[in-house]
Amino acid sequence: MQKILILDFGGQYNRLIARRVRENHVYCEVHPWSMPLEEIRSYDPIGIIFTGGPQSVYDPTAPHVDPRIFSLGVPILGICYGCQLLAQELGGRVSPAQSDTAREYGKTTVRFDLSCPLFSGLPEESVVWMSHGDYIACLPEGFSLSAESAACPSAAVCDEARGFYGVQFHPEVNHTEYGRAILKNFLFLICKAAGDWTIEDFRRRSVEEIREKVDDGRVLLALSGGVDSSVAAALLSEAVGDRLICVFVDHGLLRENEAEEVVNAFADRSLRLIRVDAEERFLSWLSGISEPEQKRKIIGEEFIRVFEEEARKIGAVDFLAQGTIYPDVIESGAGSAAVIKSHHNVGGLPDIVEFREILEPLRMLFKDEVRELGLSLSLPESLVMRQPFPGPGLAIRIIGEVTREKLNILRRADAIFREEMLRNGLSRSCSQYFAALTNMHSVGVMGDARSYDCAVALRAVTTEDFMTADWARLPFDLLDRVSNRIVNEVPGVNRVFYDITGKPPATVEYE
Ligand code: XMP
């Protein structure tokens, strides 16, 4: 299999580079810049990309590469910091920009040398995204300039004979008009990629690898009903059949018909699926609790307890499987950002179950690839294309104490909202949408009688990464229909709000 290696120097857009490469059906992996040369050799890439990074290459603590990497005979593309590193390591000189004008940040017009294969087929001039305070002041031997901007003569450099290319700008971001074409040129013209990597390929290889590894062992997986753990279950069951044991903890905080949908999706597969109906337990622990973090903690801990009890009944297993996906892998260990909400996933399980090894069959896939794999494994589209749903479920969409009655109200209201979005072809127009139950009661009038009922909030957002989000501009007609249906069909609700707050300052979920 042809592979591109992305060496990570700490830039903000590294994940995006990997996305862009995979979009071209070329397999790639992101590894730390410190990857030893021997490992690079055995990874056997057809091309290497050095990413951007926050440091200056001349800082004493700046990350470097083993210089022998340049003798592997493999084409290299350096982006931003990676471009400067390439130049410096090969004998050039990188300097701080001499004036404020040479320090480029934002959209910048660049002129390309179209005879350089990296820019083949591009217009002579276009807009790129710059973000640099240093520049290549002196080229290494064998290099020539291949793009320039008004402020920076070395917007791109190359040594075609050795297959080394550097761009000072970021081809991976959308602001660079021909960024995709530039990366394509690197992959296909320079690295001679075939672009034949497919999800079917991945599936075949994974199944073989899992079979080889698991042999006649037993695998345990906590199935949450989310996309990742469901696809992991389907893949593992294809590989090991009934030696896969899935524990599905139904905490009673799922959406309408969700638990049945999950169980049905796996009904005719050979795996063992244990459904634990734990609604009673979760609700009694949550009784009287209204503080959001306390709710999250209780649910997270109780989840582990229930899983642990089931695992004890099953006995020792050889492998514990998790639905970890590539963004989790790339981001793990990143930064020490303030905890806004303590996310509940199936974290922490490895300590409590006796097993030999962890299996993470999706750890190299992006979310859309996981979805594609799910479809290829014949999981229903309704499950595979599911929008994100938080581990603590509806509990964090009910402001204040969670009760069975409130859950029933919310489930119905949420189902109506989802039904109408689907019916009107809007379900793919936003990244996430749902109903929440506020803790507000207000006076209304229904059928000539006074009511004093609760208010439902509708939330719909668009976002690329869920770190920030905008509220979706849903059509008024649709909101009108949803509101009418909710107050008419859901007893106990007499008012519906539409949330028009972005993130920040709000978060997507209510708690
Ligand atoms: P917030 O509310 O933090 O949500 O803006 C951002 C995204 O994360 C999802 N979310 C969670 N996902 N466990 C999860 O697996 C959680 O505890 C959790 N809390 C929020 C949320 O649905 C949104 O997509």
Side-chain angles (χ1 to χ4, degrees):
M1 178 169 73
Q2 293 184 321
K3 289 177 279 186
I4 292 284
L5 172 64
I6 299 170
L7 286 184
D8 180 358
F9 289 90
Q12 307 165 52
Y13 309 119
N14 299 348
R15 210 168 107 184
L16 212 48
I17 302 175
R19 277 308 297 119
R20 294 282 172 267
V21 173
R22 296 257 187 111
E23 266 168 25
N24 286 293
H25 298 286
V26 180
Y27 185 75
C28 67
E29 288 181 14
V30 181
H31 286 268
W33 58 269
S34 52
M35 186 178 190
L37 193 79
E38 275 324 302
E39 280 180 33
I40 296 178
R41 261 206 199 102
S42 62
Y43 179 84
D44 191 22
I46 58 163
I48 300 174
I49 298 178
F50 295 169
T51 76
Q55 283 181 277
S56 286
V57 288
Y58 46 76
D59 283 348
T61 56
H64 286 274
V65 283
D66 185 325
R68 290 174 298 171
I69 198 170
F70 300 110
S71 311
L72 292 176
V74 177
I76 297 177
L77 171 65
I79 296 175
C80 200
Y81 178 93
C83 169
Q84 294 161 5
L85 184 77
L86 188 67
Q88 178 175 284
E89 300 272 329
L90 290 167
R93 186 162 50 83
V94 175
S95 305
Q98 269 134 12
S99 68
D100 278 349
T101 48
R103 212 170 282 132
E104 293 171 300
Y105 184 80
K107 289 185 180 174
T108 310
T109 300
V110 159
R111 283 185 70 79
F112 300 112
D113 171 0
L114 300 185
S115 68
C116 170
L118 198 58
F119 306 124
S120 171
L122 265 61
E124 267 182 5
E125 223 178 72
S126 78
V127 170
V128 302
W129 184 257
M130 289 283 195
S131 174
H132 68 109
D134 292 337
Y135 77 112
I136 301 169
C138 183
L139 289 179
E141 218 180 295
F143 271 73
S144 58
L145 296 171
S146 52
E148 59 172 8
S149 68
C152 179
S154 49
V157 298
C158 73
D159 176 347
E160 262 187 73
R162 287 189 286 175
F164 298 151
Y165 299 82
V167 288
Q168 191 51 73
F169 54 89
H170 288 272
E172 69 277 20
V173 305
N174 281 332
H175 304 306
T176 297
E177 279 177 340
Y178 289 88
R180 282 186 159 86
I182 293 169
L183 288 172
K184 241 185 174 141
N185 283 342
F186 179 67
L187 297 175
F188 296 106
L189 297 183
I190 297 164
C191 302
K192 311 284 183 222
D196 56 1
W197 182 74
T198 63
I199 209 73
E200 295 298 336
D201 223 25
F202 177 88
R203 175 178 162 184
R204 254 192 319 275
R205 278 170 207 277
S206 297
V207 166
E208 272 168 33
E209 275 168 27
I210 295 166
R211 280 192 186 139
E212 196 172 311
K213 190 167 210 178
V214 172
D215 201 12
D216 56 2
R218 294 199 306 165
V219 185
L220 179 65
L221 172 80
L223 182 66
S224 71
V227 178
D228 305 340
S229 66
S230 299
V231 176
L235 182 66
L236 286 160
S237 91
E238 176 163 287
V240 303
D242 62 3
R243 274 173 296 113
L244 170 67
I245 308 160
C246 292
V247 175
F248 172 43
V249 177
D250 179 359
H251 50 24
L253 307 166
L254 296 172
R255 289 166 289 190
E256 198 169 87
N257 299 330
E258 198 164 13
E260 289 68 30
E261 222 177 273
V262 173
V263 173
N264 288 341
F266 291 96
D268 50 7
R269 288 170 204 258
S270 59
L271 56 85
R272 267 178 67 197
L273 175 59
I274 301 169
R275 175 179 173 176
V276 190
D277 185 359
E279 183 187 30
E280 214 51 64
R281 286 177 66 157
F282 279 85
L283 288 190
S284 78
W285 278 109
L286 286 170
S287 162
I289 309 291
S290 53
E291 205 280 312
E293 276 301 293
Q294 218 182 335
K295 281 161 74 174
R296 281 176 169 271
K297 250 185 125 153
I298 288 174
I299 297 166
E301 280 168 13
E302 190 58 13
F303 191 95
I304 291 178
R305 238 174 270 144
V306 176
F307 185 82
E308 189 180 19
E309 285 173 20
E310 290 308 313
R312 259 198 223 109
K313 289 185 210 158
I314 295 163
V317 291
D318 306 277
F319 299 89
L320 183 77
Q322 291 185 324
T324 317
I325 68 170
Y326 207 30
D328 309 335
V329 174
I330 299 181
E331 273 164 22
S332 65
S336 50
V339 175
I340 308 290
K341 297 175 183 183
S342 50
H343 273 215
H344 155 93
N345 283 322
V346 196
L349 292 182
D351 293 340
I352 55 157
V353 182
E354 219 181 293
F355 64 96
R356 217 170 64 211
E357 216 177 305
I358 292 195
L359 279 184
E360 293 175 316
L362 310 179
R363 64 178 284 118
M364 284 302 161
L365 296 187
F366 287 101
K367 191 82 177 187
D368 54 332
E369 293 167 338
V370 171
R371 292 199 155 111
E372 210 186 323
L373 177 63
L375 292 176
S376 107
L377 286 159
S378 311
L379 283 175
E381 195 171 325
S382 57
L383 195 125
V384 169
M385 301 316 273
R386 188 167 270 183
Q387 34 172 329
F389 185 65
L394 298 181
I396 58 167
R397 293 180 180 171
I398 292 175
I399 300 176
E401 189 188 357
V402 178
T403 63
R404 200 183 302 270
E405 187 198 0
K406 288 185 191 172
L407 278 165
N408 287 339
I409 291 177
L410 178 55
R411 261 191 207 112
R412 202 66 279 278
D414 181 66
I416 291 172
F417 187 24
R418 287 190 291 135
E419 254 167 56
E420 289 297 332
M421 287 288 281
L422 253 175
R423 185 174 299 156
N424 289 279
L426 290 165
S427 59
R428 299 270 167 87
S429 69
C430 16
S431 318
Q432 197 171 7
Y433 58 92
F434 54 88
L437 192 62
T438 72
N439 55 355
M440 181 187 123
H441 277 72
S442 67
V443 174
V445 50
M446 282 175 103
D448 293 334
R450 177 188 191 271
S451 65
Y452 187 64
D453 283 333
C454 20
V456 160
L458 304 177
R459 179 105 169 112
V461 295
T462 53
T463 172
E464 290 232 332
D465 54 10
F466 292 94
M467 306 290 284
T468 61
D470 196 7
W471 59 278
R473 272 49 170 182
L474 293 183
F476 282 179
D477 285 355
L478 172 104
L479 291 172
D480 184 41
R481 219 168 13 254
V482 174
S483 162
N484 267 319
R485 279 196 59 193
I486 290 177
V487 286
N488 279 304
E489 296 174 32
V490 189
V493 181
N494 66 355
R495 212 174 272 268
V496 177
F497 293 111
Y498 185 51
D499 188 338
I500 53 167
T501 334
K503 171 185 179 177
T507 51
V508 174
E509 302 288 349
Y510 280 76
E511 290 191 335

